[in-house]
Each structure stands twice: as C-alpha cells, then as structure tokens.
Amino acid sequence: MLLDLSGIIIIDTLDWTREVVDAILGVIVIARLYAMYQQSRKVLICLAVIFVAIRITNTVILAIAMMQISGEELVLSGTYQCHFNYAGDFLLLDSMIWILATVWEVFTLFLAVWIAVKHFRELRQYSTSGIIGDCFTVLIKTHMSYFLT
C-alpha cells in the first residue's frame, strides 16, 4: 500500500511541476512580447487575460484528471512495479491540457512573428545598404557586449 501511495505522489508531483514550469515560462514569454511591442498596454492586457484563462482552465482540468488516477503494486520477478490505472475521461482531459497549451504557444508565436515582420519592413524602408547588411550590423553591435564582458 505504501508503494501505491508513493507512486501516486510521484505522478502528481511531476504533473503539477509541469504546470508550474509552464506558468513561469508563460510569464517570461509575456514579458518578452510586452517588450517587443514597446510596452503596449493593449498587448499586455490581451496576453495576461488569455494566459490566466488558459492557466486556470488547465489547473482545473489537471485537478479533475488527478482524481481519476489509481495505482496498484505489482511484483514481477521479485521487483516491485507501480501500475497506474487511468479511469474515466483521463485521456480526454489530458488531451485538453495539451490542446490549450498548444493554442497559447501558437498565439504567442504568431505575435512574435508579426512584430518581427513589421520590424523588418520598417528596416527595409529606411535602409540604404540592404536589409542583410543592417541585420548583420545590429547583431554584431548587440552581441559585442557578450564578448567584451
């Protein structure tokens, strides 16, 4: 019985750790996009509302899914193994978590690509030597600080 409980604790810990790491990475993405959009309050509010809605939904779904996991101890050739049973709609719930996470990632990727294309268009308008040369110059200037320190 102790092995069953410890196995369930390990599974729950891994799932909740993944949720916490996703939340931390989401905050980092929001901060980076906020900076890319030059501290636009509209972008920040939009990102924050969507992020919080997805995080709350994922947390509730994960809590419901965790209630549907049961474990049992198996002894195979003298070794103890934990076997987990996923009852009910666990696979559907787990899929919903991944779908919502994918929606968030695609949305943030779209915003990042959008602003990058916008910056490249602006750079091309004001450039006289070509966009490749300007990009290379910017990369050299911004990365010199790494080499000097």
Side-chain angles (χ1 to χ4, degrees):
M1 182 65 181
L2 182 61
L3 190 60
D4 297 345
L5 183 60
S6 65
I8 295 289
I9 290 171
I10 290 171
I11 289 291
D12 287 351
T13 303
L14 289 174
D15 284 339
W16 287 109
T17 301
R18 181 187 69 200
E19 193 66 24
V20 169
V21 168
D22 283 348
I24 292 169
L25 292 175
V27 170
I28 292 169
V29 167
I30 289 173
R32 293 183 67 102
L33 284 171
Y34 179 61
M36 288 173 74
Y37 279 89
Q38 300 169 349
Q39 287 88 29
S40 169
R41 288 183 65 103
K42 290 179 183 179
V43 171
L44 179 64
I45 291 169
C46 177
L47 287 170
V49 167
I50 292 171
F51 177 72
V52 169
I54 288 176
R55 290 277 56 98
I56 289 172
T57 305
N58 277 356
T59 302
V60 170
I61 291 171
L62 184 60
I64 293 169
M66 290 295 103
M67 289 185 235
Q68 298 181 2
I69 296 177
S70 63
E72 61 183 336
E73 177 183 350
L74 299 173
V75 180
L76 300 172
S77 301
T79 62
Y80 291 91
Q81 304 289 322
C82 291
H83 177 71
F84 298 101
N85 297 317
Y86 302 103
D89 295 332
F90 178 83
L91 295 177
L92 175 67
L93 294 172
D94 196 46
S95 298
M96 288 172 62
I97 291 171
W98 282 102
I99 289 169
L100 287 172
T102 303
V103 166
W104 168 253
E105 294 294 331
V106 168
F107 177 66
T108 56
L109 177 65
F110 170 76
L111 288 176
V113 169
W114 179 284
I115 198 69
V117 168
K118 183 179 170 185
H119 285 308
F120 278 123
R121 284 183 181 165
E122 289 174 1
L123 188 61
R124 190 178 339 160
Q125 275 182 339
Y126 301 115
S127 175
T128 57
S129 63
I131 193 166
I132 301 298
D134 288 342
C135 288
F136 185 70
T137 304
V138 168
L139 282 173
I140 293 296
K141 287 180 181 177
T142 57
H143 286 48
M144 278 308 258
S145 62
Y146 293 119
F147 295 112
L148 294 176
T149 57

